[in-house]
Amino acid sequence: MEEPQGEKSSQPQDDWVRFISSDGYSFLVKRKVALASPTLRGMLDVSSNFAEAAMNTCRLEERGIVVEKLLEYLAYKSTFESAPKKEDIPDFMERIAPEIALELLMAADYYDS
Amino acid sequence: MSRRNNVRGPTSALTEFLKESGITPTTIARRARTRQVEQPAQLEAGPSNAQQNGDQPESGPRGTNGNAEEYASDHLDETDEEQPAQKKRKMTKTAEAKEKAKAKANAKKKKGDDEDFEDSDEDEDAYTALSKMWKDNSKPPVGSFENCARCNKQFTVTKYTMAANPPPGFLCHLCAKASGADPFKKPAAPRKRKAATEKRNVVHFEERRFPSLASLCIKIISHYIDDVEALGDIGSINLDELAKSLARNRSLTPQNAPLFYNVENTNLTLYDVTHLTPPAFNTLAALNPNLTSLRLDFCGRIDDTVMDSWTTSLPHLKRIELLGPFLIRIAAWKKFFETHPNLEGFLITQSPRFDLECTKAMVDNCKNIKELRLNEIGKMDDAILNEIKQYGEQLTYLEIAYPGVPEALSDDVVVDLMSAVGASLKHLNLSNNVNLTDGFLFQGLKPHARQLSTLVLANLPELTDAGVAEFFDTWKAAVQDHPNRALVNLDLSRNHELSDKALISLLKHSKKSLTNLNINGWKTTSQEVLKERSMIGLSRNSWRNAIRSKKSRCGDVNGSVSNALASAASPLLVSRSMWLHKISSAFSLG
């Protein structure tokens, strides 16, 4: 994951967004991926006055591995949601370790994914 | 194709064979007629044969192939044509099948009567007759004039002309269209059905849509439920939040419910137990024997058997809160009360069966009830209130809202009840008892309510603006020795008569402590009132209180409060009330 290029005040949809977990890990994803979650979409909405939207950075109150899996799911969702039904969509369930399932469930519920 | 000259182009092997064997259209037709004469009774066989025979001269090589071969195959044993016939047997069979299908279709179309047509057609010209075999023989030739069966106008017969539905005659194009049958519509080609398994798979996939992360996690949890260690350290997770998440997805099942069960549990709250079956409820009680407080929302599937098992398996239960226990019958309720004399909290919503008899049983057996909720009870009436009166001053929480019949409770009886229990009540909800008037406020609440902090009187259309205003103005002064503290939660929504005066006085009364205020549905309140200091006082103090009590996103709230106050409030009732509602609910979140 490269460093984000300098973001100007006009934020094109193709820029990177940073998420910081509670234990200090940083994750960079494309904005499009982050917008797959309605909660994150609200946090990053440019028309609001949230600091997160201005800085393109969100602090999440989850552990690193949970944030990672959550963002992985959002990437999976943004890629395959619009795929035609006949296309072979890989299974995401097998990628979730049961140890994080409970925390991930709560995060999923909060971020409405 | 008449052959005026004797020039013959290249022919197929079949045609060659036919020529050699001397099978010609006319001979076949003749034979067909003789056959028909022999077997007039065989309706199917007759026409099929005739058609088969007749078919030969018509479609040239195609028809001749099939029929000639058939003929040959019919007489395989008799003639010596076996060898050439064998080679073509395969085609014979398919052609045969085609012929038979067409023959059957044709035979079905016309039974009996049409044999005459066929015969006559064949009679006139063996060659052309057969071309009509596959068309509707009853139809007059294309290009001729016919009278429409409906409108009797003359029209030209085309290949699209349709037969009239009650049989005789044909319809002109206009009438055919009018009757709904589209003559230009091509017959729907039969579609090959998807194999059942394939069809099933596709449907299944479509129903799944795109799996949400929450549903995937729930599936994993259910899968690993027996091996709880695999799910990691549950202790660090707030089980209540987990219960809420599962409830939001309506995914609490008998399989994953045990996640919440624990022998040491004294409190159990499950927010949506729609999927739990009666055996699952029995398990719930068995695995949580030390419960003192139980709350189950959407528990519609609890029935008498569950209550029976709970009589023995939840011995320490002191507080039970059920939303939707409509299946439980009177006998089961009674038995429950008899076996739980120490019950201190009985809160149910939605039961059409709970009645006076149950209330009597409760009052007789459970002497320690402090919290009582009987919302949306179908059989609520004054008699039940009289029973509840017996609890006197130990009731701290009372909700008798939304009775089955909104007019069930009368003003007097409620006032009477308040005189008995009002002094100790901290929480009161009498919403949607439409007979309650200002009189209730003055005679019921004013003299008796001393410790009330939550008051919910939604949807009481008889309350008047002036009455409510006066009530709040005089409430403090009413009881000298122990005046009521200011209210913390007040819900007077959907009382359409209330307006400015009521708002001003209630704010004067309770602005120091009010954190929740709902005036949704009130009549227009003017700008001035909103901008009034008392209003500002409300918001600031409430905000301060909110910060003190819990942490919240106060930044946003502040913004919206000042916006609401600073901007010109529109005179629309709904928006203003909703603003206030929003502010108060934002406060309550905080």
Side-chain angles (χ1 to χ4, degrees), chain A residues 73 85 99 106 109-110 113, chain B residues 205 211-213 237 245 248:
Chain A
Y73 175 80
K85 291 197 169 74
E99 292 80 12
M106 310 235 281
D109 201 46
Y110 183 73
S113 50
Chain B
F205 188 81
S212 73
L213 185 56
I237 294 158
S245 303
R248 262 187 283 265

Side-chain angles (χ1 to χ4, degrees), chain B residues 507 510-515 533-549 561 587:
Chain B
L507 288 173
S510 298
K511 68 173 185 246
K512 293 218 171 86
S513 57
L514 204 58
T515 52
R533 263 197 209 152
S534 58
M535 180 60 201
I536 299 174
L538 157 73
S539 45
R540 278 214 200 115
N541 282 321
S542 307
W543 180 29
R544 248 183 256 142
N545 286 338
I547 299 178
R548 249 183 258 141
S549 51
V561 165
F587 284 136

